[in-house]
Amino acid sequence: MTLILAACGGGGGGGGGGVAQPPDPDPAPDNDPPPETGDDARRVVLSDIGTAIIVPALEDFDMMATGLQAAAAAVEAAPGDVPTADAAKAAWNTAMTSWQRAEVLQVGPAGRSTNPDAVAGGQDLRDFIYSWPFTLDTCAIEAAAANGDAVDGTTPINITGLGAIEHLLFTDAPDPACASQPDAAARAAHLSRLADRVALLATSLLERWDPAADNYLEQWSTAGLESSVIYSRPQDALDALSIALFYVEKQTKDRKVALPTGLPVTDLNCADPIACPEFLESRLSRRTGQNLIVNFEAFRDLFTGVDGGMGVNDLLIGIDRQDLADQIIAEVDDVLALLAQIEGDTGFDAAVEAITDNDECVNAFSSSSGLPPCALLGVMKTALDTFRGPVVSALGLAVPSAAAGDND
């Protein structure tokens, strides 16, 4: 159990000058059950989530971003070579799959530093890596490529990051309407600069959490203790986690599904009377459905815990709400099953583009059956209503200002 390891101080360290003892070849099992309630239980959940979910996710993205960097460098060396470009697209897809898991983990340095919904320890690193749903300025990206502009901390977030890389990789030439028309070599060179920057940020974000570097993991895992200057209570860290979980409500459900399908959502308007596929998250790369799956898988893992560790559901069980823990997992599994069905058919992007009848879509949303991309919103709403209502209430979790007061 991760808590036990953490409580023991993270390993021997060997200091103190005593006589070194050989490791016990057959140590007695520690049969102490983990705490079920109170701040100790909250710290176990935080520690297990940090150790088994957050840090591994950032390690994986750091590795994938390094692979993307190498693939982009190969494109720069051979602009216009199709197999090399295809390899870079594959590397970008792998990196994006990894990052979509991190999208649901925006606590600490990845999170916002300013309101609305600033998080403790937030350093905005997420927005520099992936700025969606900010609209990319694609003509400005082409201008930066034509000019050979550097990509660094002063580069606006709407012309950098994974979104800008997707634009250059999955389009063969600039939009004729753009004033700048860089050639393939200039676009490839800028692609490489963008990938260098993402790789740098990926390593930087990982180092913020790495116990061997800045060790934000300790701030997170020991919330409420003297060793954590960021979180005065474990509940403060859980509130930050709650705000991160609302990504699946406000971004995954509302922006990635409701808005493109033309279904009603507070403060988001689709002017077309049928559907708005232009708002699909990853339309160029045709992977919006994969993004949805990874978002919900991460959401589920935060509730169940992974590798034998504790998750949010253990806090529900500790207050005798096993029913609620079971309910939200069953409802999330319904979402994942429908997503698997859609991806196994035409894929989410194509399914949205095929919507020709908004009435049929509204009916599917209302009944959670029928036209699959629209029924998906209904199934998502069922699961996330359970989260934002009974779960948040039972655990006294925070609700982000962006979600307060809406009834989507």
Side-chain angles (χ1 to χ4, degrees), residues 25-38:
D26 186 21
D30 190 336
N31 294 320
D32 290 342
E36 296 180 347
T37 60

Side-chain angles (χ1 to χ4, degrees), residues 65-407:
T66 300
L68 175 60
Q69 180 184 29
V75 173
E76 181 181 15
D81 182 71
V82 173
T84 304
D86 287 345
K89 290 175 183 176
W92 180 88
N93 263 306
T94 304
M96 181 56 98
T97 296
S98 180
W99 182 253
Q100 287 294 330
R101 185 169 178 83
E103 284 283 83
V104 190
L105 307 174
Q106 293 179 47
V107 294
R112 295 176 61 92
S113 66
T114 57
N115 283 319
D117 299 324
V119 301
Q123 297 178 23
D124 302 312
L125 289 178
R126 180 266 173 188
D127 284 351
F128 288 107
I129 292 171
Y130 186 48
S131 64
W132 183 90
F134 281 100
T135 302
L136 286 177
D137 187 340
T138 55
C139 285
I141 295 171
E142 301 293 356
N147 297 333
D149 290 349
V151 181
D152 54 30
T154 67
T155 306
I157 61 173
N158 64 343
I159 61 170
T160 189
L162 291 169
I165 294 173
E166 180 188 22
H167 167 74
L168 289 177
L169 270 177
F170 290 87
T171 58
D172 294 329
D175 186 327
C178 293
S180 295
Q181 296 289 312
D183 61 19
R187 296 181 97 228
H190 196 60
L191 171 73
S192 187
R193 290 191 291 272
L194 289 167
D196 286 348
R197 179 66 182 166
V198 167
L200 178 70
L201 290 168
T203 300
S204 179
L205 180 55
L206 173 59
E207 288 178 346
R208 299 290 204 282
W209 280 86
D210 188 349
D214 295 349
N215 199 11
Y216 196 85
L217 180 62
E218 182 177 37
Q219 298 289 327
W220 177 259
S221 300
T222 64
L225 301 180
E226 187 175 349
S227 52
S228 179
V229 298
I230 299 292
Y231 304 105
S232 60
R233 305 175 304 154
Q235 186 67 32
D236 294 340
L238 284 173
D239 284 345
L241 180 65
S242 175
I243 290 172
L245 283 164
F246 266 92
Y247 176 94
V248 179
E249 158 98 7
K250 299 306 296 177
Q251 305 299 341
T252 308
K253 177 176 74 69
D254 289 354
R255 285 193 176 273
K256 300 185 186 188
V257 178
L259 184 57
T261 52
L263 289 164
V265 58
T266 301
D267 297 330
L268 295 175
N269 297 310
C270 168
D272 191 291
I274 298 177
C276 288
E278 65 269 28
F279 290 122
L280 286 164
E281 181 186 14
S282 296
R283 195 179 190 188
L284 288 176
S285 52
R286 316 293 290 174
R287 54 157 298 129
T288 303
Q290 296 171 58
N291 298 345
L292 299 173
I293 289 172
V294 178
N295 291 166
F296 266 90
E297 287 176 340
F299 182 89
R300 188 184 194 282
D301 285 349
L302 288 167
F303 274 86
T304 63
V306 300
D307 299 334
M310 293 176 70
V312 174
N313 272 355
D314 290 287
L315 297 176
L316 291 170
I317 294 168
I319 57 172
D320 296 327
R321 292 307 309 268
Q322 176 79 58
D323 60 320
L324 203 48
D326 293 342
Q327 178 182 346
I328 193 162
I329 294 306
E331 291 169 350
V332 168
D333 285 346
D334 288 342
V335 173
L336 289 168
L338 183 50
L339 275 167
Q341 175 189 325
I342 293 170
E343 287 299 285
D345 191 5
T346 63
F348 183 76
D349 293 89
V352 170
E353 290 166 347
I355 295 172
T356 58
D357 186 335
N358 184 258
D359 289 338
E360 186 179 355
C361 203
V362 170
N363 291 335
F365 157 59
S366 301
S367 65
S368 297
S369 63
L371 206 57
C374 308
L376 177 64
L377 184 66
V379 179
M380 284 184 172
K381 186 175 188 306
T382 297
L384 296 173
D385 281 355
T386 297
F387 166 61
R388 66 175 294 150
V391 171
V392 164
S393 176
L395 297 177
L397 297 172
V399 176
S401 58
D406 71 40
N407 296 307

